[in-house]
Amino acid sequence: MLISEIFHSPQGEGKWIGVPSIFIRTSGCNLRCWFCDTPYTSWEPEGEKMSVDAIMEHIAQYDCEHAVVTGGEPMVTHEVETLTQRLHTAGKVITIETAGTILQDVRADLMSISPKLSNSTPVKDPAWAHRHDARRDQPHVIHELIKQYPYQIKFVVDQREDLHEIEAYLERYPDIDRAHVYLMPQGTTAEMLNERMDWLQEAAKQAGCQVSRRMHIELWGNVRGK
Ligand code: SF4
């Protein structure tokens, strides 16, 4: 499978924020969010072809219980099934980061789903905008993922108007437990995150959801390998 990077870092968001983890970042995505913070795995996918054996050999250097399989979109390739099975056999606690548009028969201790809202559409690229909008919302995938796995749902919120769409989304999926829903500020600097966090906390309280910091951006900004 095409691997963009493998690194060791604390998780930056959600339920296991701060937990030291091995990140395995696959390259390739079926979506093209305009704000993608890893364009080297979506708009211009790059990386090294690695076998699952080679990935397991590489991560053996880290004495670390948690593994995060992320992307790009790790669910675009069937090889993610073998990879997560091998991670499970090795005793890893597995988080999969996905936009929730594709199903694979994977092992996961936490399915971390970031649904892409209408604010993600790359409007300046009409061809991709059409494909993106046709793919970004797959209700049967969301229902299956939250039925089959422990999960968290993470929404990146850019503007207050996004909150209406999130509320409509959650009303469409009454099987989602709002205690597992995190609202997170959009931003590439600590200042941008803090400005949005000011009003996001109250909005999350009213919606019965949680907020999540984005610790990796606060600490290091929007850089690779963190
Ligand atoms: S789904 Fe994730 S990796 Fe794919 S384009 Fe959107 S933000 Fe980037």
Side-chain angles (χ1 to χ4, degrees), residues 23 26-27 35 39 47 49 55 60 64 70 79 91 93 96 107 132 137 160 178 202 206 212 216-217:
F23 286 77
T26 63
S27 191
F35 54 69
K49 276 221 162 225
I55 296 168
C64 184
T70 186
E79 288 176 287
V93 179
I96 296 182
R107 303 293 301 239
H132 180 93
D137 187 22
R160 289 172 199 262
R178 292 180 183 227
E202 183 56 32
Q206 286 184 11
S212 172
H216 50 302
I217 295 176

Side-chain angles (χ1 to χ4, degrees), residues 34-36 85-86 91-92 97 139 150 157 180 183 187 197:
W34 69 267
F35 54 69
C36 183
Q85 184 57 57
R86 290 282 300 278
K92 301 299 181 195
E97 294 284 349
V157 183
H180 302 315
L183 306 186
M197 199 56 123

Side-chain angles (χ1 to χ4, degrees), residues 119-197:
N119 65 5
S120 65
T121 303
V123 289
K124 291 184 180 163
D125 185 330
W128 260 113
H130 180 73
R131 264 175 282 176
H132 180 93
D133 277 343
R135 293 172 177 174
R136 70 177 171 79
D137 187 22
Q138 301 295 331
H140 72 287
V141 176
I142 299 293
H143 286 302
E144 276 305 310
L145 292 178
I146 67 175
K147 192 167 78 183
Q148 290 184 27
Y149 301 95
Y151 66 90
Q152 64 184 7
I153 309 273
K154 300 188 299 186
F155 289 104
V156 174
V157 183
D158 185 29
Q159 302 178 31
R160 289 172 199 262
E161 295 73 55
D162 299 340
L163 297 167
H164 301 300
E165 190 173 348
I166 291 169
E167 185 58 36
Y169 184 97
L170 293 174
E171 285 173 9
R172 278 174 54 218
Y173 295 96
D175 44 344
I176 292 177
D177 180 349
R178 292 180 183 227
H180 302 315
V181 175
Y182 293 84
L183 306 186
M184 308 188 305
Q186 204 281 117
T188 51
T189 64
E191 290 70 30
M192 290 171 75
L193 300 180
N194 289 338
E195 183 271 319
R196 287 169 174 83
M197 199 56 123

Side-chain angles (χ1 to χ4, degrees), residues 29 31-33 35-38 41-43 71-73 99 116 132:
C29 185
L31 302 180
R32 292 292 185 277
C33 306
F35 54 69
C36 183
D37 57 3
T38 57
T41 68
S42 56
W43 289 98
E73 173 52 80
K116 297 301 178 256
H132 180 93

Side-chain angles (χ1 to χ4, degrees), residues 100-115:
T101 62
I102 303 170
L103 283 173
Q104 299 282 3
D105 186 12
V106 289
R107 303 293 301 239
D109 299 284
L110 180 63
M111 190 60 71
S112 181
I113 308 165
S114 296

